[in-house]
Amino acid sequence: DTAVSQTPKYLVTQMGNDKSIKCEQNLGHDTMYWYKQDSKKFLKIMFSYNNKELIINETVPNRFSPKSPDKAHLNLHINSLELGDSAVYFCASSQQPGGLGETQYFGPGTRLLVL
Amino acid sequence: DAKTTQPPSMDCAEGRAANLPCNHSTISGNEYVYWYRQIHSQGPQYIIHGLKNNETNEMASLIITEDRKSSTLILPHATLRDTAVYYCIVRVRDSSYKLIFGSGTRLLVRP
């Protein structure tokens, strides 16, 4: 069974559209993250939620809005998509920050292409 | 910004040890050294982490110098499946648990 899953795996869309990427983890972790990996392969954190509360919010445009309906899910909604949003988006989870669970488990990624 | 410096690429022969260096000369006393790797098109995978002492697990060994300004990740018997980008990350063990990835080392394991 996949520990951290993301849907869809691929997403091709037009500029200006609104899209969502879903993430689910079945590890019982308290904390979930969204990372963006651009074309130059740099991996940067965007958001983190701990028990459905936002704890990390990096400098990300307001068009990006994470939503955590419960601790097992962290979805990423993107409004008014731009060409520069094309990237691979990774979801990750870990046990409570600072606790015994030091490892972040990453999902397989969602490849977003904005045309 | 990443607080680590790694060579952009390395290679080693299959079955031999791969030694990946990392410099973190500005590391603070409460900052840990983490290693992750990313195999092509997959999500990053945790390998190992340490603070002061050398660490070993089923995947690798981590050797941290006494002054903690550098470390080496050792894959004792590299296989073709170990070909990946390896990231050395320094992070503070606080509530934010933020991983700041650098550009990593691209390791190519040759048959």
Side-chain angles (χ1 to χ4, degrees):
Chain A
D1 287 343
T2 305
V4 181
S5 60
Q6 296 179 226
T7 53
K9 190 171 181 180
Y10 299 95
L11 184 54
V12 181
T13 188
Q14 300 285 333
M15 277 176 55
N17 285 350
D18 303 338
K19 290 293 178 185
S20 292
I21 306 172
K22 296 185 177 180
C23 179
E24 176 181 4
Q25 53 95 3
N26 63 6
L27 298 166
H29 287 166
D30 292 323
T31 309
M32 296 184 72
Y33 312 79
W34 276 110
Y35 288 83
K36 178 181 179 181
Q37 188 167 39
D38 60 25
S39 57
K40 295 182 179 178
K41 303 298 184 183
F42 287 110
L43 198 62
K44 292 184 181 178
I45 190 165
M46 300 172 69
F47 301 102
S48 174
Y49 271 72
N50 183 44
N51 266 322
K52 302 196 296 174
E53 288 191 28
L54 184 66
I55 58 171
I56 295 175
N57 185 352
E58 293 296 293
T59 307
V60 177
N62 291 336
R63 300 181 294 102
F64 290 79
S65 53
K67 287 185 173 51
S68 181
D70 55 60
K71 4 183 254 191
H73 296 85
L74 181 62
N75 303 323
L76 183 65
H77 189 76
I78 315 171
N79 288 327
S80 303
L81 278 155
E82 300 177 357
L83 295 177
D85 298 332
S86 296
V88 183
Y89 292 85
F90 289 101
C91 176
S93 74
S94 70
Q95 291 191 20
Q96 190 168 6
L100 295 178
E102 296 285 354
T103 303
Q104 286 191 19
Y105 293 84
F106 284 78
T110 295
R111 284 140 188 86
L112 171 64
L113 177 61
V114 181
L115 301 175
Chain B
D1 290 334
K3 297 177 68 172
T4 61
T5 305
Q6 299 176 251
S9 63
M10 294 182 66
D11 66 78
C12 76
E14 188 178 18
R16 304 298 293 269
N19 298 292
L20 290 89
C22 179
N23 286 325
H24 30 80
S25 58
T26 61
I27 194 169
S28 301
N30 63 345
E31 291 180 324
Y32 284 67
V33 179
Y34 279 74
W35 284 84
Y36 278 74
R37 73 179 181 183
Q38 187 174 22
I39 296 170
H40 180 63
S41 298
Q42 297 181 21
Q45 176 191 23
Y46 166 82
I47 302 173
I48 199 166
H49 75 278
L51 182 62
K52 295 183 197 176
N53 300 321
N54 298 337
E55 302 287 338
T56 296
N57 63 20
E58 64 279 2
M59 288 183 70
S61 294
L62 174 60
I63 309 297
I64 303 174
T65 58
E66 195 169 338
D67 63 8
R68 302 212 319 125
K69 293 186 176 182
S70 66
S71 60
T72 301
L73 178 74
I74 301 173
L75 307 178
H77 305 286
T79 70
L80 299 180
R81 286 178 293 181
D82 291 322
T83 292
V85 178
Y86 287 78
Y87 296 99
C88 171
I89 299 163
V90 164
R91 70 166 273 263
V92 178
R93 192 178 181 181
D94 62 12
S95 60
S96 72
Y97 193 31
K98 192 160 56 175
L99 293 177
I100 300 178
F101 287 81
S103 51
T105 295
R106 184 173 299 277
L107 174 68
L108 174 64
V109 180
R110 295 177 279 103

